[in-house]
Amino acid sequence: MYICYTSINEIQMIENLGHLEESVLLLVMIVEEAYGVSIGEAYEKKTGQSISIPAIHTVLKRLEKKGMVRSRMGAATAERGGRRKRIFEATPYGFKVIAEIRENRLQLWSLIPKLDIQHG
Amino acid sequence: MDKHALNEPEVRPPRWADRFLAWYCAPELLDEIQGDLHEAFHRRRKKYNLRKAQRMFVAEVLLFCKPSSFPKFDYPYHLINMPGMISNYLKIAGRNTLKNKVFSLINIFGLAIGLAACFLILQYVHFELSYDQFHEQADRIYRVIREGGRTKGATNHPGVGPALKADFPEVQEYARAVHQSIFIGNLTTWSYIDEAGEVTVFNEERVYNVDPSFLTMFSFPFVYGNPEHAFPNTSAVVISESISKKFFGSDNPMGKTLLLNGQRPFTVTGVFQDVPENSHIQFDILVSYFFTEGWGGEWNHNWDWRWPEYFTYVLLNPQAKAEALEAKFSDFAQQYLGEQMKELNEEERFFLQPVADIHLKSPQLTKEQEVHGNAQTVYFLLLIAMMILLIAWINYINLSTSKSIERAQEVGLRKVAGASRTQLITQFLFESAIVNFLAMGVSLILVMVTLPFFNQLTGKNIGTTMLDLVLVKEYWFWLILAGVFVFGSCCAGLYPAFVLSSFRITTVLKGKFIRSRSGTTMRKILVGFQFVISIALIAGTIMVFRQVTYMRNQDMGYVKDQLLIVKSPRIVDSTLQQRLETFKTELSRNPDIHRMAPSSDIPGKLISQLNFIRNRGEGTDENSIAYHVYIDRDFIETYGLTMVAGRNFREEERLPPPDQRTDPVPVMVNEKAAASLGYHEGEEALHQLIIFGLGPGEWVGEIIGVVSNHHQQSLKADYDPLLFFPIPGLLGQYFTINLSMQRPSETISFIEQQYEAAFPDNPFEYFFLDDYFNRQYAADQQFGSVFGLFSGLALIVACLGLFGLSTFMISQRIKEIAIRKVLGANLTSMVLLFSGDFLKLILIANLCALPLVYLAVNQWLNNFAFHVNIGWLMFVLPAVTLLLISLTTVSIQTIKTGLKNPIKSLRAE
């Protein structure tokens, strides 16, 4: 029963994973200590686009709800006004989804006929 | 600030935005959101600049402000279930009430008695507080009272009213009222002759002479006529509805003529509704203040400043401040009385007293109109009411917590089935609400049933049915009712509810439940508190009753049991001397009549004539006060007074009219007056010359005799100093007749015959002196009865609680009793064992209560010049009573259980 339940969800979620979600999920995997600020900085560095903290929070929450990341409370720093961090990491399911997306893309890439001609 | 300047300047995100964030953000999200924003802020500050970082911080705080960041609102699923749960609570509460019939009855009736007592007392207190509130201008009417001559009196000089109005713009109006005794006598006879020539005649005492403004200042509603034009001339009389009924039946009395003392005609110009009981001034007939104009020759009603006999009221302007006006009174007194004060060597001072304060808050004043109430008594009764209610609530708490063991398993099961603590508490609160609700219903019925008896007891007519009660019409009564209900349900219910709901499932269901020590202690303290209240109330009752009995039985200094008072005739002519002689001789022929004496006053009332006396040759600073009594020479023997020294008046001695007092007037004094003149042995006082009647005229008197003291007033007051004169007008106000009580009704009808033969046209009215005298104790006796009643109620409620508690205590120890019995204990030792707890409690309660009672009773007794001593009875009787009650209760329960077959108790599980 459990398996059946997730398999249906997987398909939907993969379909629903938006561009920003995908990026943030990837960043969670890349960044060492992934939490709101660090992800935001990494995003800006990697993409050159700026992003607000609330946007990141929203995305992280959505990913957590979909079961692709999980979180725990980390340490507090003075810089944060004594507040703790919520540190995220990708779940195996998250990795699986990312891998599937990549595969899907590669499959699609390989189907482009002009690609070879143009680039020789 | 300096500190910050020295260190690195503190940089932080905008404070308001930070606060706003903390305000809307759910606490569990605050860590990540606030933390991230702060961290981002510091990084951006270094990366860009402070202002940009700040701007971004604010923008992001606003972006975060969305429902997902707010505290989570749990949908109250349990509320869907509410109606179901409530009906379940009600059902369980009902079942429990029915299951424990004895406990429920004790709870409900205990509470009901407490509440009923509370309502009755509230009603009484409300009545006492309502005095003189019915006047529309009550808040602006003040009585001007006077201090001078070493007394503080309710009355004032006739000149004060007009002068106040003339001098002070704050005074809108003044009104004076003076009792007829000042002008004519305590009694006046009023007669009405109808068209057929039939005469209706009555003696009236409650007659006042008033200014016309009296009727417009106060609000005494009129049945006929108009208060504004009630006194068109000095021959107008205004009467009460009941006087009108007495004389004219149901006819309209307007314009009819009443004769005063058979001589002076008065025309009825108005009829007012009977003066309500909650008025400080009580009267039946009002005549114009000015009808005696010219009686005193030169003397002027409006401008006299030497005759403080007039009740003086002023109506202030709405803006006027009483304190401000009062402050100007010393100059005022100096202006009008300066010389006189110097002459008499005494200071006169005036005060304003709000009319509504007269009944309860007035200081002890001489010449007060009516016996006034006592604020202390009223508040004391309120306290008792609260105590009774408290006892009833404590009963509820005790019984419910002690029942807890029985219900522990129920609680355990409920918890297993998923009941939360809140639900359990709600359930128990529901039960207490039901008990309170039922009790309230029962108490209202109780109040309705007992109200007539309560009226009798207090001597006040405060309404005979529930609907008559003023209380019911007051919104605050319903507020109090609701308050008591809520408070009772919650406070009495909360403690048991918390105790009951706190049991742990596992312990309870395993059956290992042991009564907690703290619960027992709490219960003991509560029961002890009930004992303290009970002891205090019993002891108080004992002392009040002892004092009242003492006052009634105390030797008054005269024979009071066989004295009949006949009001003397007022319609008389020149043949008076002869008629009186005939009457006296006729009476002396009857062997049942010992003696008869006319006099101006009789014991049982404050004497209205009061003046200074001093030895001749002394200065005015030696003045002391004495009451003037005019007596026949037979007075001394009729009353059984004794001559301490000197002789009685002679037959031919009469007090001459003021203008013929050339020789010293023969006077007698009582021991008290002699002592205040400085003569402590009667013989010393004989033939001393004294000055009396200061003021408009001073005369010299010679003391020819000293009479023993007697109680002129109740035992609250000390002996009054009395100055006796031989009666000038022969009659006085009263005939005192000393008769044997063998055939009283025959003797009285004989006296009536003789009276009617001697004084035709005069009504024959009589009373017994001891009844008249004891009237003064009515208030104390009522207080005693009310106090006794409520102490009894408190005791009953406390006993109910004790009974319930001991029943329960024993039922918890059934097995213990059985085992003890098996092991050979006898009943006596078990009774002793189980009563031990209560004995200790009673002992401690006694130790706590008695010192308090001692102080309170002592203070109360000090109100009486003559009072009983606090005897041992007060300390012993309450303790013994309580001891007996609790021992009986506990023993009966123990014996009942002890007599059972132990096997039965041991086998049951």
Side-chain angles (χ1 to χ4, degrees):
Chain A
M1 199 167 79
Y2 179 70
I3 298 160
C4 172
Y5 173 79
T6 43
S7 64
I8 291 172
N9 259 17
E10 269 170 33
I11 295 162
Q12 284 174 341
M13 279 177 184
I14 294 165
E15 277 174 1
N16 285 344
L17 206 60
H19 175 69
L20 185 60
E21 285 174 333
E22 192 188 328
S23 314
V24 170
L25 182 56
L26 283 166
L27 284 171
V28 168
M29 295 167 183
I30 297 162
V31 177
E32 203 171 320
E33 198 188 36
Y35 63 98
V37 179
S38 62
I39 294 171
E41 271 193 346
Y43 183 89
E44 281 173 19
K45 208 180 272 171
K46 297 276 170 354
T47 66
Q49 285 172 311
S50 69
I51 188 165
S52 75
I53 307 270
I56 295 170
H57 274 241
T58 315
V59 173
L60 283 171
K61 207 174 274 172
R62 222 177 282 155
L63 287 175
E64 193 168 23
K65 209 171 178 185
K66 289 175 180 172
M68 294 174 211
V69 298
R70 60 185 173 211
S71 66
R72 60 186 164 84
M73 296 312 287
T77 65
E79 206 183 23
R80 297 173 61 82
R83 294 285 177 191
R84 290 176 299 164
K85 298 168 180 168
R86 183 176 288 277
I87 294 165
F88 292 84
E89 59 179 350
T91 58
Y93 172 63
F95 279 106
K96 197 176 137 201
V97 170
I98 281 292
E100 258 168 48
I101 289 176
R102 184 174 168 270
E103 214 144 290
N104 279 350
R105 296 269 160 82
L106 285 177
Q107 231 172 36
L108 288 173
W109 275 97
S110 64
L111 292 177
I112 301 174
K114 288 175 185 168
L115 202 69
D116 282 334
I117 302 165
Q118 263 187 3
H119 291 267
Chain B
M1 296 300 121
D2 286 344
K3 204 169 127 196
H4 284 173
L6 285 177
N7 296 336
E8 185 188 343
E10 197 191 28
V11 250
R12 47 183 314 155
R15 205 175 264 253
W16 65 269
D18 205 28
R19 285 214 186 119
F20 175 59
L21 173 73
W23 173 72
Y24 73 68
C25 189
E28 69 271 16
L29 296 176
L30 203 57
D31 262 323
E32 46 193 293
I33 292 179
Q34 202 181 31
D36 278 5
L37 286 184
H38 275 243
E39 194 178 335
F41 168 80
H42 289 295
R43 294 192 181 187
R44 284 168 185 157
R45 184 170 57 92
K46 285 169 197 148
K47 196 168 158 193
Y48 312 112
N49 56 47
L50 180 64
R51 296 199 59 162
K52 187 168 183 184
Q54 275 175 339
R55 219 170 32 241
M56 289 175 81
F57 182 85
V58 172
E60 290 186 346
V61 163
L62 293 178
L63 278 173
F64 262 122
C65 183
K66 55 189 175 178
S68 63
S69 316
F70 300 157
K72 277 214 179 58
F73 173 70
D74 273 329
Y75 185 77
Y77 290 101
H78 62 279
L79 284 182
I80 302 175
N81 218 359
M82 208 55 171
M85 282 316 282
I86 288 177
S87 73
N88 180 264
Y89 293 153
L90 286 174
K91 196 185 277 175
I92 299 293
R95 281 182 192 160
N96 259 313
T97 316
L98 287 178
K99 189 179 159 204
N100 303 298
K101 287 195 187 63
V102 181
F103 284 106
S104 310
L105 282 181
I106 290 177
N107 272 334
I108 292 172
F109 276 93
L111 269 179
I113 292 174
L115 285 171
C118 248
F119 293 156
L120 286 177
I121 289 179
L122 265 183
Q123 176 66 39
Y124 177 79
V125 169
H126 177 252
F127 179 80
E128 286 288 301
L129 293 176
S130 73
Y131 263 73
D132 294 299
Q133 302 281 7
F134 60 89
H135 300 297
E136 277 155 31
Q137 316 187 83
D139 52 332
R140 288 159 52 204
I141 304 176
Y142 292 83
R143 187 168 74 175
V144 189
I145 57 179
R146 166 187 168 271
E147 193 183 295
R150 271 151 260 177
T151 53
K152 200 164 185 178
T155 52
N156 222 321
H157 305 286
V160 170
L164 280 176
K165 191 185 174 185
D167 291 4
F168 298 109
E170 297 98 308
V171 178
Q172 187 177 324
E173 190 53 275
Y174 71 91
R176 289 162 297 182
V178 54
H179 190 255
Q180 60 175 1
S181 63
I182 300 304
F183 293 128
I184 311 168
N186 279 334
L187 288 176
T188 42
T189 303
W190 295 79
S191 48
Y192 169 62
I193 306 166
D194 65 5
E195 292 87 2
E198 203 145 309
V199 186
T200 322
V201 59
F202 291 103
N203 283 327
E204 294 302 336
E205 268 182 280
R206 310 203 309 179
V207 183
Y208 277 88
N209 295 28
V210 296
D211 280 313
S213 54
F214 181 85
L215 288 169
T216 47
M217 182 186 289
F218 293 105
S219 313
F220 294 107
F222 269 49
V223 183
Y224 295 109
N226 185 339
E228 314 245 335
H229 315 292
F231 291 114
N233 52 51
T234 53
S235 300
V237 63
V238 181
I239 57 177
S240 74
E241 233 179 330
S242 40
I243 291 287
S244 166
K245 281 221 178 71
K246 245 159 91 174
F247 282 97
F248 310 107
S250 52
D251 296 349
N252 183 344
M254 295 290 280
K256 293 192 172 161
T257 305
L258 282 172
L259 282 179
L260 166 64
N261 285 353
Q263 295 163 348
R264 173 150 184 160
F266 280 89
T267 312
V268 178
T269 49
V271 178
F272 53 87
Q273 285 173 21
D274 286 358
V275 176
E277 218 165 323
N278 52 359
S279 164
H280 79 280
I281 181 168
Q282 295 285 335
F283 51 87
D284 294 320
I285 296 180
L286 296 179
V287 292
S288 166
Y289 175 73
F290 295 101
F291 98 90
T292 52
E293 192 92 287
W295 282 19
E298 295 290 296
W299 177 76
N300 183 306
H301 265 299
N302 271 347
W303 296 109
D304 188 87
W305 286 86
R306 282 176 179 252
W307 206 23
E309 298 289 350
Y310 294 69
F311 296 106
T312 306
Y313 305 92
V314 289
L315 176 70
L316 299 191
N317 279 326
Q319 302 85 20
K321 291 264 183 301
E323 297 79 31
L325 182 58
E326 220 170 30
K328 300 179 196 162
F329 278 176
S330 77
D331 292 340
F332 175 76
Q334 199 58 44
Q335 183 188 343
Y336 288 92
L337 289 162
E339 280 179 31
Q340 189 174 324
M341 292 195 294
K342 222 180 268 169
E343 173 197 332
L344 291 176
N345 192 20
E346 61 169 44
E347 200 190 344
E348 297 228 9
R349 294 196 291 166
F350 303 126
F351 303 95
L352 289 174
Q353 180 180 38
V355 71
D357 282 1
I358 293 175
H359 181 67
L360 277 186
K361 295 175 192 153
S362 181
Q364 205 60 47
L365 298 175
T366 57
K367 300 183 181 168
E368 186 66 85
Q369 281 117 318
E370 302 290 325
V371 179
H372 54 63
N374 187 337
Q376 246 180 335
T377 314
V378 169
Y379 295 131
F380 189 69
L381 283 177
L382 261 186
L383 189 72
I384 294 186
M386 270 152 59
M387 289 292 163
I388 297 178
L389 201 55
L390 207 59
I391 291 184
W393 278 335
I394 290 180
N395 270 352
Y396 182 81
I397 295 176
N398 271 343
L399 292 177
S400 339
T401 46
S402 61
K403 261 195 316 188
S404 60
I405 308 158
E406 235 166 57
R407 301 194 64 177
Q409 301 215 330
E410 178 195 334
V411 171
L413 259 178
R414 278 178 190 280
K415 281 194 169 174
V416 168
S420 68
R421 193 160 177 194
T422 332
Q423 282 174 320
L424 285 170
I425 289 175
T426 321
Q427 185 201 331
F428 289 118
L429 283 183
F430 255 88
E431 286 178 20
S432 92
I434 282 181
V435 169
N436 269 281
F437 187 74
L438 288 176
M440 211 153 250
V442 175
S443 76
L444 289 181
I445 296 172
L446 276 179
V447 169
M448 270 188 262
V449 173
T450 52
L451 204 55
F453 303 104
F454 185 68
N455 279 340
Q456 238 170 11
L457 207 60
T458 56
K460 308 235 165 174
N461 187 16
I462 53 177
T464 40
T465 65
M466 205 62 197
L467 287 176
D468 279 354
L469 291 183
V470 218
L471 214 53
V472 180
K473 293 166 198 147
E474 302 272 358
Y475 72 95
W476 57 261
F477 170 73
W478 297 104
L479 277 184
I480 291 182
L481 203 68
V484 166
F485 177 70
V486 171
F487 187 81
S489 307
C490 290
C491 276
L494 267 184
Y495 177 69
F498 270 102
V499 171
L500 287 174
S501 61
S502 67
F503 298 144
R504 279 162 184 264
I505 311 171
T506 41
T507 16
V508 165
L509 290 185
K510 258 192 259 167
K512 267 192 183 168
F513 182 74
I514 298 162
R515 210 199 306 203
S516 77
R517 196 125 195 107
S518 69
T520 323
T521 319
M522 179 73 182
R523 211 144 46 231
K524 274 187 183 162
I525 291 173
L526 289 176
V527 173
F529 183 65
Q530 285 183 318
F531 281 156
V532 170
I533 299 176
S534 307
I535 290 168
L537 289 178
I538 299 175
T541 314
I542 294 171
M543 286 317 290
V544 173
F545 271 102
R546 276 189 57 205
Q547 174 65 17
V548 171
T549 329
Y550 166 82
M551 289 195 293
R552 295 178 66 106
N553 298 334
Q554 167 76 339
D555 177 20
M556 302 313 294
Y558 62 87
V559 285
K560 68 168 180 178
D561 297 336
Q562 42 195 28
L563 296 180
L564 183 82
I565 308 293
V566 176
K567 298 179 180 174
S568 72
R570 309 253 49 93
I571 305 175
V572 290
D573 52 22
S574 53
T575 58
L576 174 66
Q577 171 88 42
Q578 206 185 332
R579 286 169 187 275
L580 185 63
E581 291 301 330
T582 327
F583 182 58
K584 243 182 155 174
T585 340
E586 288 300 325
L587 287 193
S588 62
R589 286 205 189 137
N590 190 321
D592 285 335
I593 297 174
H594 302 315
R595 215 161 273 281
M596 175 272 200
S599 62
S600 65
D601 283 279
I602 50 171
K605 203 175 155 188
L606 186 70
I607 298 168
S608 51
Q609 280 221 38
L610 169 70
N611 218 322
F612 290 113
I613 52 171
R614 64 166 188 267
N615 288 304
R616 197 164 75 163
E618 282 175 353
T620 46
D621 50 346
E622 296 292 328
N623 280 341
S624 62
I625 55 165
Y627 293 91
H628 295 190
V629 193
Y630 303 89
I631 57 168
D632 188 89
R633 67 185 302 272
D634 284 337
F635 186 86
I636 305 292
E637 268 187 73
T638 308
Y639 275 88
L641 305 178
T642 47
M643 297 299 300
V644 176
R647 62 166 177 87
N648 197 347
F649 294 126
R650 292 209 184 91
E651 188 69 43
E652 70 282 2
E653 278 172 341
R654 292 268 173 263
L655 180 68
D659 46 342
Q660 294 166 27
R661 292 177 190 165
T662 42
D663 298 330
V665 179
V667 296
M668 295 199 289
V669 291
N670 70 351
E671 291 168 287
K672 177 89 182 179
S676 66
L677 285 168
Y679 308 117
H680 293 283
E681 290 296 325
E683 299 291 340
E684 293 173 33
L686 284 186
H687 308 299
Q688 299 290 344
L689 294 180
I690 58 163
I691 308 264
F692 68 92
L694 310 172
E698 290 189 353
W699 294 287
V700 182
E702 181 192 349
I703 300 176
I704 58 156
V706 179
V707 186
S708 58
N709 282 333
H710 72 271
H711 287 283
Q712 175 64 31
Q713 295 180 70
S714 82
L715 268 63
K716 270 187 189 171
D718 203 351
Y719 291 119
D720 287 328
L722 301 179
L723 186 57
F724 294 100
F725 296 101
I727 200 156
L730 293 169
L731 282 168
Q733 299 288 320
Y734 305 97
F735 296 154
T736 308
I737 299 171
N738 187 335
L739 45 91
S740 89
M741 296 306 281
Q742 307 239 307
R743 292 181 296 255
S745 53
E746 281 90 345
T747 315
I748 290 172
S749 64
F750 171 78
I751 296 171
E752 182 172 7
Q753 271 174 10
Q754 296 307 324
Y755 185 90
E756 274 164 7
F759 312 106
D761 300 340
N762 281 292
F764 176 74
E765 289 178 1
Y766 68 92
F767 52 85
F768 281 98
L769 184 62
D770 56 343
D771 295 341
Y772 181 75
F773 194 90
N774 286 340
R775 208 184 31 126
Q776 297 178 95
Y777 299 134
D780 295 302
Q781 206 158 12
Q782 283 153 13
F783 177 61
S785 315
V786 174
F787 194 71
L789 173 76
F790 290 118
S791 311
L793 286 180
L795 199 61
I796 290 175
V797 178
C799 285
L800 283 178
L802 192 65
F803 170 75
L805 203 61
S806 60
T807 312
F808 193 80
M809 200 188 76
I810 301 291
S811 78
Q812 288 307 305
R813 299 172 81 169
I814 288 180
K815 281 196 184 146
E816 183 189 334
I817 291 174
I819 293 171
R820 280 177 190 278
K821 212 177 158 186
V822 170
L823 292 178
N826 58 6
L827 272 179
T828 333
S829 65
M830 279 194 286
V831 168
L832 280 179
L833 181 75
F834 290 127
S835 333
D837 280 352
F838 285 103
L839 291 186
K840 261 183 258 164
L841 266 183
I842 290 175
L843 199 71
I844 295 170
N846 263 308
L847 288 179
C848 294
L850 289 176
L852 288 177
V853 177
Y854 179 84
L855 290 177
V857 163
N858 221 355
Q859 185 156 26
W860 183 72
L861 284 179
N862 281 337
N863 287 334
F864 299 87
F866 297 83
H867 58 76
V868 289
N869 293 320
I870 300 180
W872 53 270
L873 197 65
M874 189 195 90
F875 296 102
V876 177
L877 198 59
V880 171
T881 317
L882 262 193
L883 216 61
L884 277 181
I885 292 173
S886 42
L887 276 188
T888 322
T889 326
V890 178
S891 318
I892 288 175
Q893 300 290 343
T894 319
I895 292 169
K896 222 163 71 185
T897 324
L899 286 178
K900 274 193 203 154
N901 189 343
I903 294 174
K904 277 184 188 156
S905 340
L906 284 177
R907 206 163 33 189
E909 178 71 311

